[in-house]
Amino acid sequence: MPIPGSGLAKGLAVTLRTMTKRSHTAQYPEVQPELPPRSRGVIGLFEENCTVCMLCARECPDWCIYIDSHKETVPAAAPGGRERSRNVLDRFAIDFSLCMYCGICIEVCPFDALFWSPEFEYAETDIHELTHERDKLREWMWTVPAPPALDPAAEEPKEIAAARKAVEKAEAAAAAQAAAAAPAPAPATDADPGTGPGTAGPGASGPGGGTPDTPAGGPA
């Protein structure tokens, strides 16, 4: 059973400890605060990865993401091929007056087009100006910190392994092509050491010479 008045005593102890400490005032905006590296400030957009799949807008619980797009026809890559259509992003905006910073849009994006940025200085005097378009979201993308390093004992990501294998395969193919295109070495043309100039083979005859069994000059 707790002692009567113990809670009051603990509260007064905290108050007394705080009274003995000197207060500290952060001189903002002259001195910027030290934020954690993965702070949830605003959402940055990497436009090149966006395929206009609309998953982020559909999953947003506040419906604060606005996306407009149109379709374009892509000509066939090879003669006789079929034309294809693709979505082209026209507008990507986020209303930060409605956003509750849950991060669902970043988690559901299948192509890594949305990232958390630690930027927080985007206050406006008019609430309607808190809807930031894709140009501003792209500027915030370059303030996104790099991801933390992987554990040295962790398994290599599948994406990196696939990219590395593709590079090794391309290098091997290039080396094989270079080896096939290299000229073949010329065949050796060394003369027979027994038939070279100035040497007589077995049974050869010449001036002042004879066969090994017959002396020079013939029989007497």
Side-chain angles (χ1 to χ4, degrees):
M1 184 176 179
I3 302 175
S6 59
L8 178 61
K10 291 180 180 179
L12 291 175
V14 173
T15 303
L16 291 175
R17 286 197 305 268
T18 306
M19 289 176 61
T20 58
K21 294 181 180 179
R22 185 177 179 181
S23 61
H24 176 72
T25 302
Q27 301 298 325
Y28 177 84
E30 287 76 12
V31 179
Q32 293 292 324
E34 295 182 3
L35 300 175
R38 308 301 296 180
S39 298
R40 294 189 176 189
V42 290
I43 298 173
L45 171 66
F46 192 57
E47 186 176 335
E48 287 75 6
N49 286 358
C50 182
T51 60
V52 200
C53 65
M54 305 294 290
L55 272 177
C56 56
R58 288 199 298 263
E59 297 296 332
C60 178
D62 292 333
W63 293 86
C64 63
I65 300 177
Y66 311 108
I67 301 176
D68 293 332
S69 65
H70 70 276
K71 288 186 177 294
E72 285 186 356
T73 302
V74 180
R82 190 178 67 179
E83 295 181 346
R84 299 181 180 273
S85 62
R86 67 184 181 95
N87 293 323
V88 179
L89 183 66
D90 293 330
R91 184 194 184 200
F92 195 108
I94 299 178
D95 187 354
F96 285 99
S97 65
L98 297 177
C99 179
M100 64 179 185
Y101 305 91
C102 62
I104 293 178
C105 57
I106 297 175
E107 295 177 2
V108 301
C109 180
F111 301 104
D112 292 335
L114 298 173
F115 297 87
W116 279 118
S117 168
E119 292 292 324
F120 62 93
E121 297 177 319
Y122 55 95
E124 302 289 346
T125 56
D126 189 354
I127 192 173
H128 296 93
E129 296 179 0
L130 284 174
T131 301
H132 295 288
E133 302 292 335
R134 65 176 182 175
D135 295 336
K136 188 64 176 180
L137 301 180
R138 184 178 180 85
E139 292 179 9
W140 284 330
M141 178 63 207
W142 310 124
T143 63
V144 174
L150 298 176
D151 189 343
E155 183 180 356
E156 185 179 29
K158 295 180 180 179
E159 296 82 358
I160 297 179
R164 179 175 51 79
K165 290 180 181 179
V167 171
E168 292 176 355
K169 185 177 180 180
E171 291 177 351
Q177 185 177 3
T189 57
D190 296 340
D192 188 356
T195 58
T199 60
S205 61
T211 62
D213 297 335
T214 304

